[in-house]
């Protein structure tokens, strides 16, 4: 039986806050019932390949 072990995991280099990579984003208020079809369509035309951690929809109550 072969065994293995992790010898070393390199640290991620620290990036100063003023040099963090950024991307442009857009925000919109939509009807809740349209969210599912909107997200499906966005995934087709603009997939988030390198941004899997990003949520496309966030439910919030807006006052006024």
């Amino acid at each position: 039986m072969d065994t293995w072990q992790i010898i070393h995991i390199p640290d991620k280099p620290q990036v100063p806050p003023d040099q963090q990579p950024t991307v442009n984003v857009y925000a919109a208020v939509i009807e809740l019932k349209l969210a599912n079809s909107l997200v499906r369509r966005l995934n087709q035309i603009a997939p988030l390949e390198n941004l899997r951690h990003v949520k496309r929809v966030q439910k919030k109550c807006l006052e006024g």
Side-chain angles (χ1 to χ4, degrees), residues 25-29:
V25 299
Y26 297 94
V29 177

Side-chain angles (χ1 to χ4, degrees), residues 1-7:
M1 178 176 185
D2 291 329
T3 62
W4 58 273
Q5 69 181 50
I6 296 174
I7 305 289

Side-chain angles (χ1 to χ4, degrees), residues 39-63:
V39 168
R40 286 178 189 227
R41 184 68 179 126
L42 285 171
N43 282 333
Q44 290 175 346
I45 61 175
L48 298 175
E49 296 298 329
N50 296 322
L51 301 170
R52 298 267 182 223
H53 62 285
V54 175
K55 290 185 178 181
R56 288 202 187 256
V57 177
Q58 183 177 17
K59 185 177 177 180
K60 280 191 173 184
C61 291
L62 300 178
E63 294 181 21

Side-chain angles (χ1 to χ4, degrees), residues 27-39:
V29 177
I30 63 167
E31 292 182 38
L32 185 58
K33 65 182 180 181
L34 299 176
N36 188 38
S37 50
L38 178 61
V39 168

